[in-house]
């Protein structure tokens, strides 16, 4: 009895010590462990916002995909509608929907039979997901895996950018990530030993917040058309690349900004790095004669010349050191008026007129027109361009800059400069994104600075009057003609400097305003390194097609009959 009593005391004491250890000493630790074993977390998915055009058409949105998973420790035959469904039978049903081989799925669930997780199939569509749910397989689960989809592909790829595995990579996706980004939430629930969620235990630990929509000023239909023209005529010219931009004069909104060649953000793995950008913002070139419009406008605005002023323009303009400036054609010299100098694109005429203006003053005009600094769009990778410092500019560039050589601009900057002329001398900062439409419906408009006065309204009107002569009797005669509409335009051919020297390569461009009598849209088209035709008028077919589409697409009211044009010669 004594030995038995001692044994009982020892056993009870051991149990008591163990009880104290469990309930007192290690109580908190064991409680945490048990909670961790029972408590499970799941993601409460939120959706990244869409990128939409001005009409609400989605340029980028989420396309949900689902990963199919299983709990190997619970994989077994089961009964459905009174019939036994074997594991292999269930896997065959999954294969018929997803296409994933039965052998691959069987290997996944057999590799570690004691585990609670493995993948059966990945990236199934919503339709496949719904079909799988209908199978009612008790050990099969799903994980939502949203993907980014760009329904217009390469049409707007240069603007939207794309999403990578770690987040936004380019374009609006990255620039406006704060607007688009979703904040996923967290669900917590209790799970039984059989991995089944316990009823009534589901709790939202953190709410999910959907991303907002970035609303672009782009019209996707016009964007598509502009890209088609760039590709068509760029290939005909054998050009290296091309860019085009259409700007609404009254608002400064960019309604089309296309680049060719471009890329499809749905599949960009093998795309050359040079295509993964918006060249209209990120590539700057010496613009050539399209800049003469700004030089002449500045001179008129300063009262240093007027449209009808007569000049005897030499074929060459001598510079120090035995160098000289010449015109691209003989017609750009002789007895020309100021209007004729611009209309016939006389390099020597512009240089002679520009000598009347102080360099600092001319520099201020170029800056006011928007050259030398990135546009208000602030597109990722956007270039500032280049305007020579009047204090340090060399004796040659001080002259060549007046006709667009020796300085550099982007397509966007040139579009902004012509918008200033079209808008009565007031440059409205360009805009590509109108704002962010938050998930709660609130619209936050994108910030944009005030309009910038550049030239007087009278100067702007007179400059347009001169530019109207270019399609009438200048280099674009018979090449740009949209019946019922008056067009003001200027061509440009610029030599491209490579390795510090000018070679045979050219950049050709046209910038124009339509209608000239009631400016509503600015169109700029440029091609880089054309091979079959290196004259600026070679860009005319693309420009003409785009202008024609713009007036049709936006139902622009036809022009009034033209008035009198300034004389070009005397």
């Amino acid at each position: 009895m004594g030995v038995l009593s001692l044994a009982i005391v020892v056993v009870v004491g051991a149990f008591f010590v163990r009880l104290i250890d469990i309930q007192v000493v290690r109580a908190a630790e064991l409680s945490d462990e048990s909670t961790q074993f029972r408590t499970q977390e799941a993601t409460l998915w939120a959706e990244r916002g869409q990128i939409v055009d001005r009409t609400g058409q989605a340029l980028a949105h989420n396309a949900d995909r689902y990963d199919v998973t299983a709990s190997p420790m619970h994989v077994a035959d089961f009964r459905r509608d009174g019939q036994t469904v074997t594991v292999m039978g269930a896997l065959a049903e999954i294969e018929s929907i997803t296409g994933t081989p039965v052998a691959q799925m069987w290997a996944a669930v057999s590799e570690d039979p004691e585990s609670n997780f493995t993948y059966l199939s990945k990236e199934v569509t919503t339709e496949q997901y719904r079909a799988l749910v209908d199978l009612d397989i008790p050990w099969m689960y799903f994980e939502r895996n949203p993907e980014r989809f760009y329904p217009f592909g390469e049409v707007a790829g240069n603007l939207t950018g794309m999403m990578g595995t770690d987040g936004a990579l380019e374009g609006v996706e990255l620039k406006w990530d704060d607007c688009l980004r979703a904040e996923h939430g967290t669900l917590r629930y209790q799970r039984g030993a059989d991995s089944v969620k316990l009823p009534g235990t589901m709790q939202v630990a953190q709410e999910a917040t959907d991303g907002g929509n970035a609303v672009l000023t782009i019209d996707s239909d016009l964007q598509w058309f502009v890209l088609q023209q760039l590709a068509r005529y760029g290939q005909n010219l054998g050009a290296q690349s091309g860019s085009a931009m259409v700007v609404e004069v009254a608002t400064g909104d960019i309604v089309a900004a296309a680049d060719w060649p471009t890329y499809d953000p749905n599949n960009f793995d093998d795309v050359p790095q040079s295509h993964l950008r918006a060249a209209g913002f990120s590539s700057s070139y010496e613009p050539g004669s399209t800049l003469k419009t700004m030089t002449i406008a500045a001179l008129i605005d300063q009262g240093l010349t007027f449209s009808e002023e007569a000049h005897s323009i030499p074929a060459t303009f001598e510079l120090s050191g035995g160098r000289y400036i010449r015109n691209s054609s003989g017609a750009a010299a002789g007895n020309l008026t100021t209007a004729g100098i611009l209309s016939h694109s006389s390099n020597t005429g512009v240089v002679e007129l520009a000598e009347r203006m102080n360099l600092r003053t001319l520099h201020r005009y170029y800056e006011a027109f928007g050259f030398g600094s990135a546009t208000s769009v602030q597109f990722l990778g956007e270039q500032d361009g280049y305007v020579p410092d009047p204090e340090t500019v060399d004796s040659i560039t001080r002259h060549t800059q007046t006709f667009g050589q020796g300085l550099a601009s982007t397509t966007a900057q040139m579009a902004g400069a012509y918008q200033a002329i079209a808008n009565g001398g007031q440059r409205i900062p360009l805009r590509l994104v109108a704002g962010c439409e938050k998930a709660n419906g609130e619209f936050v408009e994108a910030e944009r600075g005030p309009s910038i006065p550049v030239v007087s309204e009278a100067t702007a009107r007179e400059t347009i009057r001169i530019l109207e002569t270019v399609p009438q009797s200048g280099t674009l005669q018979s090449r740009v003609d949209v019946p019922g509409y008056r067009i003001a335009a200027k061509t440009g051919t610029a030599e491209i400097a490579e390795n510090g020297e000018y070679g045979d390569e050219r950049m050709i461009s046209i910038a124009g305003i339509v209608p000239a009598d009631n400016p509503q849209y600015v169109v700029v088209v440029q091609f880089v390194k054309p091979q079959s035709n290196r004259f600026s008028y070679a860009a005319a077919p693309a420009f003409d097609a785009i202008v024609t589409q713009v007036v049709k697409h936006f139902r622009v009211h036809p022009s009034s009959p033209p008035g009198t044009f300034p004389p070009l010669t005397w």
Side-chain angles (χ1 to χ4, degrees), residues 1-63:
M1 290 296 292
V3 172
L4 181 59
S5 297
L6 181 60
I8 292 172
V9 169
V10 170
V11 171
V12 171
F15 274 108
F16 182 76
V17 170
R18 182 61 174 166
L19 187 62
I20 293 298
D21 179 55
I22 292 174
Q23 293 191 341
V24 179
V25 178
R26 300 177 58 203
E29 176 188 348
L30 295 174
S31 178
D32 288 342
E33 288 182 2
S34 65
T35 301
Q36 291 171 9
F37 180 76
R38 295 196 315 270
T39 302
Q40 300 296 311
E41 288 190 351
T43 300
L44 182 58
W45 294 100
E47 286 199 1
R48 183 174 177 83
Q50 299 184 100
I51 300 175
V52 300
D53 75 351
R54 64 193 294 137
T55 67
Q57 184 74 41
L59 304 176
H61 64 81
N62 289 333

Side-chain angles (χ1 to χ4, degrees), residues 306-569:
F306 55 95
S307 296
E308 293 80 5
E309 184 181 5
H311 311 275
S312 295
I313 303 301
T316 61
F317 183 91
E318 293 186 11
L319 301 171
S320 60
R323 298 185 178 227
Y324 62 89
I325 291 170
R326 62 183 177 83
N327 297 305
S328 59
S329 67
N335 296 333
L336 300 178
T337 63
T338 296
I341 288 173
L342 181 57
S343 184
H344 291 305
S345 202
S346 173
N347 293 343
T348 57
V350 170
V351 169
E352 283 201 343
L353 279 178
E355 284 200 314
R356 300 177 179 181
M357 182 178 288
N358 179 279
L359 272 180
R360 296 186 188 89
T361 303
L362 182 60
H363 185 270
R364 286 199 300 270
Y365 273 101
Y366 287 156
E367 285 189 327
F369 273 115
F371 300 111
S373 59
T375 70
S376 58
V377 173
Q378 295 293 305
F379 202 86
L380 292 172
E382 182 172 353
Q383 292 193 11
D384 290 334
Y386 169 71
V387 177
D389 186 339
E391 304 297 333
T392 59
V393 63
D394 63 81
S395 60
I396 297 176
T397 305
R398 66 177 295 173
H399 293 104
T400 62
Q401 67 174 339
T402 62
F403 56 85
Q405 295 276 180
L407 51 69
S409 73
T410 63
T411 305
Q413 287 172 332
M414 190 58 70
Y418 274 81
Q419 185 276 336
I421 295 293
N423 194 45
Q426 297 283 325
R427 181 168 65 87
I428 301 176
L430 298 183
R431 187 171 66 168
L432 177 66
V433 179
C436 178
E437 183 182 18
K438 295 187 176 181
N440 61 8
E442 178 187 2
F443 184 78
V444 180
E445 189 169 358
E447 293 184 4
R448 179 168 56 179
S451 61
I452 301 165
V454 184
V455 296
S456 69
E457 185 175 353
T459 296
R461 192 164 53 245
E462 187 63 16
T463 304
I464 292 175
R465 183 167 167 255
I466 297 173
L467 293 178
E468 251 196 284
T469 66
V470 178
Q472 296 293 325
S473 57
T475 55
L476 294 181
Q477 187 178 11
S478 76
R479 293 187 174 95
V480 171
D481 183 20
V482 182
Y485 294 91
R486 292 162 54 183
I487 299 170
K490 183 69 188 78
T491 59
T493 304
E495 296 178 335
I496 296 178
E498 294 181 320
N499 300 320
E501 295 184 0
Y502 291 112
D504 295 331
E505 299 293 357
R506 299 289 185 268
M507 194 279 287
I508 61 174
S509 62
I510 299 179
I513 299 166
V514 62
D517 55 318
N518 180 25
Q520 294 186 43
Y521 294 95
V522 164
V523 178
V524 178
V525 178
Q526 71 171 34
F527 292 102
V528 178
K529 297 183 178 180
Q531 300 302 308
S532 62
N533 190 332
R534 298 179 182 181
F535 292 100
S536 57
Y537 61 76
F543 177 83
D544 185 74
I546 292 170
V547 170
T548 301
Q549 183 66 17
V550 166
V551 297
K552 288 196 303 184
H553 186 74
F554 294 114
R555 299 182 180 181
V556 177
H557 195 277
S559 295
S560 59
T564 59
F565 296 123
L568 304 182
T569 60

